[in-house]
PDB file of all heavy atoms in Angstrom:
ATOM      1  N   VAL W   1      17.090  56.416 -77.643  1.00  0.00           N
ATOM      2  CA  VAL W   1      16.159  56.402 -78.769  1.00  0.00           C
ATOM      3  C   VAL W   1      14.952  55.584 -78.376  1.00  0.00           C
ATOM      4  O   VAL W   1      15.134  54.476 -77.811  1.00  0.00           O
ATOM      5  CB  VAL W   1      16.805  55.801 -80.038  1.00  0.00           C
ATOM      6  CG1 VAL W   1      15.777  55.574 -81.088  1.00  0.00           C
ATOM      7  CG2 VAL W   1      17.892  56.730 -80.551  1.00  0.00           C
ATOM      8  N   SER W   2      13.784  56.063 -78.614  1.00  0.00           N
ATOM      9  CA  SER W   2      12.590  55.346 -78.287  1.00  0.00           C
ATOM     10  C   SER W   2      12.540  54.023 -79.083  1.00  0.00           C
ATOM     11  O   SER W   2      12.977  54.001 -80.223  1.00  0.00           O
ATOM     12  CB  SER W   2      11.352  56.186 -78.635  1.00  0.00           C
ATOM     13  OG  SER W   2      10.148  55.445 -78.353  1.00  0.00           O
ATOM     14  N   SER W   3      12.049  52.981 -78.470  1.00  0.00           N
ATOM     15  CA  SER W   3      12.011  51.663 -79.196  1.00  0.00           C
ATOM     16  C   SER W   3      11.036  51.707 -80.355  1.00  0.00           C
ATOM     17  O   SER W   3      10.129  52.573 -80.430  1.00  0.00           O
ATOM     18  CB  SER W   3      11.552  50.538 -78.200  1.00  0.00           C
ATOM     19  OG  SER W   3      10.203  50.695 -77.893  1.00  0.00           O
ATOM     20  N   THR W   4      11.234  50.820 -81.293  1.00  0.00           N
ATOM     21  CA  THR W   4      10.365  50.762 -82.479  1.00  0.00           C
ATOM     22  C   THR W   4       8.931  50.581 -82.057  1.00  0.00           C
ATOM     23  O   THR W   4       7.996  51.213 -82.540  1.00  0.00           O
ATOM     24  CB  THR W   4      10.784  49.575 -83.372  1.00  0.00           C
ATOM     25  OG1 THR W   4      12.150  49.798 -83.785  1.00  0.00           O
ATOM     26  CG2 THR W   4       9.933  49.458 -84.591  1.00  0.00           C
ATOM     27  N   ALA W   5       8.663  49.640 -81.079  1.00  0.00           N
ATOM     28  CA  ALA W   5       7.328  49.332 -80.656  1.00  0.00           C
ATOM     29  C   ALA W   5       6.652  50.560 -80.002  1.00  0.00           C
ATOM     30  O   ALA W   5       5.527  50.900 -80.342  1.00  0.00           O
ATOM     31  CB  ALA W   5       7.304  48.145 -79.692  1.00  0.00           C
ATOM     32  N   ALA W   6       7.398  51.228 -79.100  1.00  0.00           N
ATOM     33  CA  ALA W   6       6.855  52.388 -78.446  1.00  0.00           C
ATOM     34  C   ALA W   6       6.546  53.532 -79.441  1.00  0.00           C
ATOM     35  O   ALA W   6       5.499  54.201 -79.309  1.00  0.00           O
ATOM     36  CB  ALA W   6       7.804  52.865 -77.368  1.00  0.00           C
ATOM     37  N   GLN W   7       7.362  53.706 -80.448  1.00  0.00           N
ATOM     38  CA  GLN W   7       7.109  54.765 -81.447  1.00  0.00           C
ATOM     39  C   GLN W   7       5.873  54.468 -82.256  1.00  0.00           C
ATOM     40  O   GLN W   7       5.071  55.327 -82.542  1.00  0.00           O
ATOM     41  CB  GLN W   7       8.346  54.909 -82.346  1.00  0.00           C
ATOM     42  CG  GLN W   7       9.544  55.531 -81.683  1.00  0.00           C
ATOM     43  CD  GLN W   7      10.711  55.720 -82.633  1.00  0.00           C
ATOM     44  OE1 GLN W   7      10.598  56.590 -83.508  1.00  0.00           O
ATOM     45  NE2 GLN W   7      11.726  54.920 -82.535  1.00  0.00           N
ATOM     46  N   LEU W   8       5.727  53.200 -82.652  1.00  0.00           N
ATOM     47  CA  LEU W   8       4.494  52.815 -83.428  1.00  0.00           C
ATOM     48  C   LEU W   8       3.265  52.977 -82.600  1.00  0.00           C
ATOM     49  O   LEU W   8       2.233  53.453 -83.097  1.00  0.00           O
ATOM     50  CB  LEU W   8       4.647  51.361 -83.898  1.00  0.00           C
ATOM     51  CG  LEU W   8       5.624  51.087 -85.030  1.00  0.00           C
ATOM     52  CD1 LEU W   8       5.752  49.576 -85.258  1.00  0.00           C
ATOM     53  CD2 LEU W   8       5.143  51.725 -86.313  1.00  0.00           C
ATOM     54  N   HIS W   9       3.343  52.616 -81.319  1.00  0.00           N
ATOM     55  CA  HIS W   9       2.163  52.728 -80.439  1.00  0.00           C
ATOM     56  C   HIS W   9       1.817  54.178 -80.202  1.00  0.00           C
ATOM     57  O   HIS W   9       0.665  54.597 -80.278  1.00  0.00           O
ATOM     58  CB  HIS W   9       2.492  52.063 -79.125  1.00  0.00           C
ATOM     59  CG  HIS W   9       1.301  51.795 -78.249  1.00  0.00           C
ATOM     60  ND1 HIS W   9       0.143  51.194 -78.693  1.00  0.00           N
ATOM     61  CD2 HIS W   9       1.069  52.111 -76.947  1.00  0.00           C
ATOM     62  CE1 HIS W   9      -0.752  51.161 -77.705  1.00  0.00           C
ATOM     63  NE2 HIS W   9      -0.196  51.704 -76.626  1.00  0.00           N
ATOM     64  N   ARG W  10       2.896  54.994 -79.957  1.00  0.00           N
ATOM     65  CA  ARG W  10       2.672  56.430 -79.759  1.00  0.00           C
ATOM     66  C   ARG W  10       2.131  57.057 -81.001  1.00  0.00           C
ATOM     67  O   ARG W  10       1.377  58.076 -80.969  1.00  0.00           O
ATOM     68  CB  ARG W  10       3.971  57.075 -79.313  1.00  0.00           C
ATOM     69  CG  ARG W  10       3.872  58.525 -78.861  1.00  0.00           C
ATOM     70  CD  ARG W  10       5.191  59.023 -78.425  1.00  0.00           C
ATOM     71  NE  ARG W  10       5.541  58.596 -77.043  1.00  0.00           N
ATOM     72  CZ  ARG W  10       6.511  57.726 -76.800  1.00  0.00           C
ATOM     73  NH1 ARG W  10       7.253  57.237 -77.784  1.00  0.00           N
ATOM     74  NH2 ARG W  10       6.788  57.355 -75.563  1.00  0.00           N
ATOM     75  N   GLY W  11       2.490  56.502 -82.203  1.00  0.00           N
ATOM     76  CA  GLY W  11       2.084  57.086 -83.459  1.00  0.00           C
ATOM     77  C   GLY W  11       0.685  56.640 -83.871  1.00  0.00           C
ATOM     78  O   GLY W  11       0.220  57.062 -84.956  1.00  0.00           O
ATOM     79  N   GLY W  12      -0.013  55.841 -83.077  1.00  0.00           N
ATOM     80  CA  GLY W  12      -1.392  55.555 -83.373  1.00  0.00           C
ATOM     81  C   GLY W  12      -1.800  54.108 -83.612  1.00  0.00           C
ATOM     82  O   GLY W  12      -2.953  53.825 -83.823  1.00  0.00           O
ATOM     83  N   VAL W  13      -0.837  53.201 -83.537  1.00  0.00           N
ATOM     84  CA  VAL W  13      -1.162  51.793 -83.738  1.00  0.00           C
ATOM     85  C   VAL W  13      -1.672  51.222 -82.369  1.00  0.00           C
ATOM     86  O   VAL W  13      -0.971  51.313 -81.389  1.00  0.00           O
ATOM     87  CB  VAL W  13       0.055  50.978 -84.207  1.00  0.00           C
ATOM     88  CG1 VAL W  13      -0.346  49.490 -84.409  1.00  0.00           C
ATOM     89  CG2 VAL W  13       0.621  51.576 -85.510  1.00  0.00           C
ATOM     90  N   ALA W  14      -2.873  50.663 -82.373  1.00  0.00           N
ATOM     91  CA  ALA W  14      -3.511  50.282 -81.080  1.00  0.00           C
ATOM     92  C   ALA W  14      -2.793  49.152 -80.408  1.00  0.00           C
ATOM     93  O   ALA W  14      -2.671  49.118 -79.170  1.00  0.00           O
ATOM     94  CB  ALA W  14      -4.980  49.927 -81.329  1.00  0.00           C
ATOM     95  N   GLN W  15      -2.381  48.122 -81.162  1.00  0.00           N
ATOM     96  CA  GLN W  15      -1.785  46.940 -80.557  1.00  0.00           C
ATOM     97  C   GLN W  15      -0.484  46.603 -81.303  1.00  0.00           C
ATOM     98  O   GLN W  15      -0.415  46.649 -82.544  1.00  0.00           O
ATOM     99  CB  GLN W  15      -2.687  45.748 -80.598  1.00  0.00           C
ATOM    100  CG  GLN W  15      -3.878  45.881 -79.677  1.00  0.00           C
ATOM    101  CD  GLN W  15      -4.713  44.594 -79.589  1.00  0.00           C
ATOM    102  OE1 GLN W  15      -4.726  43.808 -80.508  1.00  0.00           O
ATOM    103  NE2 GLN W  15      -5.361  44.354 -78.456  1.00  0.00           N
ATOM    104  N   ILE W  16       0.545  46.239 -80.529  1.00  0.00           N
ATOM    105  CA  ILE W  16       1.867  45.873 -81.125  1.00  0.00           C
ATOM    106  C   ILE W  16       2.418  44.706 -80.313  1.00  0.00           C
ATOM    107  O   ILE W  16       2.355  44.665 -79.088  1.00  0.00           O
ATOM    108  CB  ILE W  16       2.856  47.043 -81.045  1.00  0.00           C
ATOM    109  CG1 ILE W  16       2.359  48.211 -81.931  1.00  0.00           C
ATOM    110  CG2 ILE W  16       4.236  46.596 -81.561  1.00  0.00           C
ATOM    111  CD1 ILE W  16       2.823  49.558 -81.448  1.00  0.00           C
ATOM    112  N   VAL W  17       2.984  43.729 -81.009  1.00  0.00           N
ATOM    113  CA  VAL W  17       3.714  42.648 -80.406  1.00  0.00           C
ATOM    114  C   VAL W  17       5.178  42.740 -80.897  1.00  0.00           C
ATOM    115  O   VAL W  17       5.365  42.956 -82.099  1.00  0.00           O
ATOM    116  CB  VAL W  17       3.123  41.281 -80.804  1.00  0.00           C
ATOM    117  CG1 VAL W  17       3.944  40.163 -80.200  1.00  0.00           C
ATOM    118  CG2 VAL W  17       1.646  41.196 -80.323  1.00  0.00           C
ATOM    119  N   ALA W  18       6.090  42.626 -79.972  1.00  0.00           N
ATOM    120  CA  ALA W  18       7.524  42.827 -80.333  1.00  0.00           C
ATOM    121  C   ALA W  18       8.422  42.030 -79.391  1.00  0.00           C
ATOM    122  O   ALA W  18       7.953  41.472 -78.405  1.00  0.00           O
ATOM    123  CB  ALA W  18       7.876  44.324 -80.288  1.00  0.00           C
ATOM    124  N   HIS W  19       9.700  41.958 -79.777  1.00  0.00           N
ATOM    125  CA  HIS W  19      10.720  41.268 -78.977  1.00  0.00           C
ATOM    126  C   HIS W  19      11.709  42.243 -78.396  1.00  0.00           C
ATOM    127  O   HIS W  19      12.070  43.215 -79.042  1.00  0.00           O
ATOM    128  CB  HIS W  19      11.477  40.221 -79.819  1.00  0.00           C
ATOM    129  CG  HIS W  19      10.679  39.121 -80.338  1.00  0.00           C
ATOM    130  ND1 HIS W  19      10.392  37.981 -79.623  1.00  0.00           N
ATOM    131  CD2 HIS W  19      10.063  38.932 -81.556  1.00  0.00           C
ATOM    132  CE1 HIS W  19       9.652  37.187 -80.327  1.00  0.00           C
ATOM    133  NE2 HIS W  19       9.416  37.701 -81.501  1.00  0.00           N
ATOM    134  N   PHE W  20      12.124  41.959 -77.183  1.00  0.00           N
ATOM    135  CA  PHE W  20      13.363  42.626 -76.645  1.00  0.00           C
ATOM    136  C   PHE W  20      14.548  41.939 -77.364  1.00  0.00           C
ATOM    137  O   PHE W  20      14.597  40.744 -77.571  1.00  0.00           O
ATOM    138  CB  PHE W  20      13.534  42.360 -75.154  1.00  0.00           C
ATOM    139  CG  PHE W  20      12.756  43.277 -74.253  1.00  0.00           C
ATOM    140  CD1 PHE W  20      11.814  42.745 -73.383  1.00  0.00           C
ATOM    141  CD2 PHE W  20      12.949  44.616 -74.281  1.00  0.00           C
ATOM    142  CE1 PHE W  20      11.097  43.561 -72.526  1.00  0.00           C
ATOM    143  CE2 PHE W  20      12.246  45.460 -73.435  1.00  0.00           C
ATOM    144  CZ  PHE W  20      11.331  44.896 -72.587  1.00  0.00           C
ATOM    145  N   GLY W  21      15.563  42.721 -77.673  1.00  0.00           N
ATOM    146  CA  GLY W  21      16.857  42.198 -78.114  1.00  0.00           C
ATOM    147  C   GLY W  21      16.771  41.209 -79.286  1.00  0.00           C
ATOM    148  O   GLY W  21      15.788  41.191 -80.037  1.00  0.00           O
ATOM    149  N   PRO W  22      17.792  40.335 -79.427  1.00  0.00           N
ATOM    150  CA  PRO W  22      17.808  39.369 -80.522  1.00  0.00           C
ATOM    151  C   PRO W  22      16.837  38.230 -80.224  1.00  0.00           C
ATOM    152  O   PRO W  22      16.551  37.890 -79.087  1.00  0.00           O
ATOM    153  CB  PRO W  22      19.261  38.887 -80.520  1.00  0.00           C
ATOM    154  CG  PRO W  22      20.020  39.851 -79.689  1.00  0.00           C
ATOM    155  CD  PRO W  22      19.080  40.387 -78.708  1.00  0.00           C
ATOM    156  N   VAL W  23      16.405  37.556 -81.325  1.00  0.00           N
ATOM    157  CA  VAL W  23      15.569  36.350 -81.185  1.00  0.00           C
ATOM    158  C   VAL W  23      15.972  35.406 -82.298  1.00  0.00           C
ATOM    159  O   VAL W  23      16.252  35.845 -83.452  1.00  0.00           O
ATOM    160  CB  VAL W  23      14.071  36.713 -81.252  1.00  0.00           C
ATOM    161  CG1 VAL W  23      13.707  37.417 -82.535  1.00  0.00           C
ATOM    162  CG2 VAL W  23      13.212  35.461 -81.059  1.00  0.00           C
ATOM    163  N   TYR W  24      16.043  34.119 -82.018  1.00  0.00           N
ATOM    164  CA  TYR W  24      16.366  33.135 -83.059  1.00  0.00           C
ATOM    165  C   TYR W  24      15.230  33.094 -84.071  1.00  0.00           C
ATOM    166  O   TYR W  24      14.041  33.239 -83.767  1.00  0.00           O
ATOM    167  CB  TYR W  24      16.538  31.765 -82.394  1.00  0.00           C
ATOM    168  CG  TYR W  24      17.902  31.572 -81.779  1.00  0.00           C
ATOM    169  CD1 TYR W  24      18.090  31.591 -80.458  1.00  0.00           C
ATOM    170  CD2 TYR W  24      19.015  31.384 -82.611  1.00  0.00           C
ATOM    171  CE1 TYR W  24      19.321  31.422 -79.872  1.00  0.00           C
ATOM    172  CE2 TYR W  24      20.288  31.207 -82.042  1.00  0.00           C
ATOM    173  CZ  TYR W  24      20.434  31.255 -80.685  1.00  0.00           C
ATOM    174  OH  TYR W  24      21.653  31.051 -80.083  1.00  0.00           O
ATOM    175  N   ASP W  25      15.605  32.854 -85.319  1.00  0.00           N
ATOM    176  CA  ASP W  25      14.690  32.786 -86.425  1.00  0.00           C
ATOM    177  C   ASP W  25      13.556  31.791 -86.221  1.00  0.00           C
ATOM    178  O   ASP W  25      12.385  32.112 -86.233  1.00  0.00           O
ATOM    179  CB  ASP W  25      15.442  32.479 -87.720  1.00  0.00           C
ATOM    180  CG  ASP W  25      14.584  32.659 -88.980  1.00  0.00           C
ATOM    181  OD1 ASP W  25      13.577  33.386 -88.935  1.00  0.00           O
ATOM    182  OD2 ASP W  25      14.949  32.094 -90.000  1.00  0.00           O
ATOM    183  N   ALA W  26      13.922  30.540 -85.928  1.00  0.00           N
ATOM    184  CA  ALA W  26      12.929  29.486 -85.740  1.00  0.00           C
ATOM    185  C   ALA W  26      12.073  29.680 -84.501  1.00  0.00           C
ATOM    186  O   ALA W  26      10.912  29.406 -84.452  1.00  0.00           O
ATOM    187  CB  ALA W  26      13.592  28.105 -85.719  1.00  0.00           C
ATOM    188  N   LEU W  27      12.721  30.220 -83.442  1.00  0.00           N
ATOM    189  CA  LEU W  27      11.988  30.485 -82.211  1.00  0.00           C
ATOM    190  C   LEU W  27      10.938  31.575 -82.414  1.00  0.00           C
ATOM    191  O   LEU W  27       9.830  31.472 -81.918  1.00  0.00           O
ATOM    192  CB  LEU W  27      12.962  30.923 -81.084  1.00  0.00           C
ATOM    193  CG  LEU W  27      12.436  31.029 -79.706  1.00  0.00           C
ATOM    194  CD1 LEU W  27      11.743  29.751 -79.232  1.00  0.00           C
ATOM    195  CD2 LEU W  27      13.515  31.431 -78.724  1.00  0.00           C
ATOM    196  N   SER W  28      11.300  32.594 -83.194  1.00  0.00           N
ATOM    197  CA  SER W  28      10.342  33.637 -83.542  1.00  0.00           C
ATOM    198  C   SER W  28       9.203  33.022 -84.381  1.00  0.00           C
ATOM    199  O   SER W  28       8.011  33.355 -84.125  1.00  0.00           O
ATOM    200  CB  SER W  28      11.027  34.740 -84.352  1.00  0.00           C
ATOM    201  OG  SER W  28      10.108  35.703 -84.800  1.00  0.00           O
ATOM    202  N   THR W  29       9.533  32.159 -85.278  1.00  0.00           N
ATOM    203  CA  THR W  29       8.510  31.551 -86.146  1.00  0.00           C
ATOM    204  C   THR W  29       7.552  30.684 -85.280  1.00  0.00           C
ATOM    205  O   THR W  29       6.323  30.657 -85.520  1.00  0.00           O
ATOM    206  CB  THR W  29       9.127  30.676 -87.267  1.00  0.00           C
ATOM    207  OG1 THR W  29       9.973  31.551 -88.082  1.00  0.00           O
ATOM    208  CG2 THR W  29       8.062  30.056 -88.145  1.00  0.00           C
ATOM    209  N   ASN W  30       8.100  29.985 -84.327  1.00  0.00           N
ATOM    210  CA  ASN W  30       7.233  29.174 -83.427  1.00  0.00           C
ATOM    211  C   ASN W  30       6.229  30.066 -82.693  1.00  0.00           C
ATOM    212  O   ASN W  30       5.049  29.723 -82.558  1.00  0.00           O
ATOM    213  CB  ASN W  30       8.120  28.422 -82.417  1.00  0.00           C
ATOM    214  CG  ASN W  30       8.934  27.312 -83.013  1.00  0.00           C
ATOM    215  OD1 ASN W  30       8.685  26.903 -84.165  1.00  0.00           O
ATOM    216  ND2 ASN W  30       9.919  26.843 -82.312  1.00  0.00           N
ATOM    217  N   ALA W  31       6.733  31.212 -82.217  1.00  0.00           N
ATOM    218  CA  ALA W  31       5.831  32.124 -81.492  1.00  0.00           C
ATOM    219  C   ALA W  31       4.774  32.698 -82.436  1.00  0.00           C
ATOM    220  O   ALA W  31       3.584  32.753 -82.034  1.00  0.00           O
ATOM    221  CB  ALA W  31       6.680  33.255 -80.909  1.00  0.00           C
ATOM    222  N   GLU W  32       5.150  33.074 -83.625  1.00  0.00           N
ATOM    223  CA  GLU W  32       4.193  33.586 -84.566  1.00  0.00           C
ATOM    224  C   GLU W  32       3.113  32.598 -84.890  1.00  0.00           C
ATOM    225  O   GLU W  32       1.906  32.907 -84.970  1.00  0.00           O
ATOM    226  CB  GLU W  32       4.895  34.008 -85.883  1.00  0.00           C
ATOM    227  CG  GLU W  32       5.946  35.108 -85.762  1.00  0.00           C
ATOM    228  CD  GLU W  32       6.931  35.136 -86.869  1.00  0.00           C
ATOM    229  OE1 GLU W  32       6.455  34.961 -88.044  1.00  0.00           O
ATOM    230  OE2 GLU W  32       8.117  35.250 -86.625  1.00  0.00           O
ATOM    231  N   THR W  33       3.500  31.334 -85.119  1.00  0.00           N
ATOM    232  CA  THR W  33       2.583  30.282 -85.480  1.00  0.00           C
ATOM    233  C   THR W  33       1.529  30.074 -84.340  1.00  0.00           C
ATOM    234  O   THR W  33       0.329  30.037 -84.562  1.00  0.00           O
ATOM    235  CB  THR W  33       3.314  28.962 -85.744  1.00  0.00           C
ATOM    236  OG1 THR W  33       4.255  29.160 -86.805  1.00  0.00           O
ATOM    237  CG2 THR W  33       2.306  27.882 -86.191  1.00  0.00           C
ATOM    238  N   ALA W  34       2.045  30.032 -83.104  1.00  0.00           N
ATOM    239  CA  ALA W  34       1.118  29.887 -81.970  1.00  0.00           C
ATOM    240  C   ALA W  34       0.212  31.068 -81.844  1.00  0.00           C
ATOM    241  O   ALA W  34      -0.957  30.978 -81.526  1.00  0.00           O
ATOM    242  CB  ALA W  34       1.957  29.656 -80.671  1.00  0.00           C
ATOM    243  N   PHE W  35       0.752  32.265 -82.092  1.00  0.00           N
ATOM    244  CA  PHE W  35      -0.009  33.515 -81.994  1.00  0.00           C
ATOM    245  C   PHE W  35      -1.160  33.502 -82.956  1.00  0.00           C
ATOM    246  O   PHE W  35      -2.334  33.720 -82.606  1.00  0.00           O
ATOM    247  CB  PHE W  35       0.922  34.700 -82.216  1.00  0.00           C
ATOM    248  CG  PHE W  35       0.212  36.018 -82.191  1.00  0.00           C
ATOM    249  CD1 PHE W  35       0.120  36.721 -81.021  1.00  0.00           C
ATOM    250  CD2 PHE W  35      -0.304  36.591 -83.326  1.00  0.00           C
ATOM    251  CE1 PHE W  35      -0.517  37.968 -80.942  1.00  0.00           C
ATOM    252  CE2 PHE W  35      -0.941  37.819 -83.312  1.00  0.00           C
ATOM    253  CZ  PHE W  35      -1.050  38.513 -82.108  1.00  0.00           C
ATOM    254  N   TYR W  36      -0.892  33.254 -84.241  1.00  0.00           N
ATOM    255  CA  TYR W  36      -1.907  33.373 -85.251  1.00  0.00           C
ATOM    256  C   TYR W  36      -2.907  32.222 -85.198  1.00  0.00           C
ATOM    257  O   TYR W  36      -4.050  32.353 -85.675  1.00  0.00           O
ATOM    258  CB  TYR W  36      -1.252  33.528 -86.643  1.00  0.00           C
ATOM    259  CG  TYR W  36      -0.634  34.913 -86.845  1.00  0.00           C
ATOM    260  CD1 TYR W  36       0.727  35.016 -87.001  1.00  0.00           C
ATOM    261  CD2 TYR W  36      -1.447  36.029 -86.845  1.00  0.00           C
ATOM    262  CE1 TYR W  36       1.289  36.302 -87.183  1.00  0.00           C
ATOM    263  CE2 TYR W  36      -0.882  37.281 -86.997  1.00  0.00           C
ATOM    264  CZ  TYR W  36       0.466  37.417 -87.167  1.00  0.00           C
ATOM    265  OH  TYR W  36       1.023  38.678 -87.319  1.00  0.00           O
ATOM    266  N   ARG W  37      -2.565  31.125 -84.627  1.00  0.00           N
ATOM    267  CA  ARG W  37      -3.532  30.047 -84.427  1.00  0.00           C
ATOM    268  C   ARG W  37      -4.650  30.559 -83.514  1.00  0.00           C
ATOM    269  O   ARG W  37      -5.839  30.257 -83.739  1.00  0.00           O
ATOM    270  CB  ARG W  37      -2.832  28.807 -83.823  1.00  0.00           C
ATOM    271  CG  ARG W  37      -2.105  27.957 -84.828  1.00  0.00           C
ATOM    272  CD  ARG W  37      -1.452  26.830 -84.117  1.00  0.00           C
ATOM    273  NE  ARG W  37      -0.673  25.988 -85.022  1.00  0.00           N
ATOM    274  CZ  ARG W  37       0.267  25.168 -84.639  1.00  0.00           C
ATOM    275  NH1 ARG W  37       0.631  25.077 -83.328  1.00  0.00           N
ATOM    276  NH2 ARG W  37       0.934  24.451 -85.504  1.00  0.00           N
TER     277      ARG W  37
END
């Protein structure tokens, strides 16, 4: 099955940020905070 990110990108979304596999809740939040800054 095509990954969620690849399907969205193929479907017309220009940019996508995603994770492989599982990610810890707080670790994901740390990444999001740094990203949006």
Side-chain angles (χ1 to χ4, degrees):
V1 171
S2 179
S3 72
T4 301
Q7 289 183 72
L8 287 172
H9 193 52
R10 189 178 282 110
V13 182
Q15 291 188 331
I16 296 150
V17 177
H19 295 276
F20 277 121
V23 58
Y24 280 105
D25 191 20
L27 188 56
S28 175
T29 301
N30 291 345
E32 296 160 43
T33 303
F35 178 90
Y36 287 115
R37 281 177 182 161

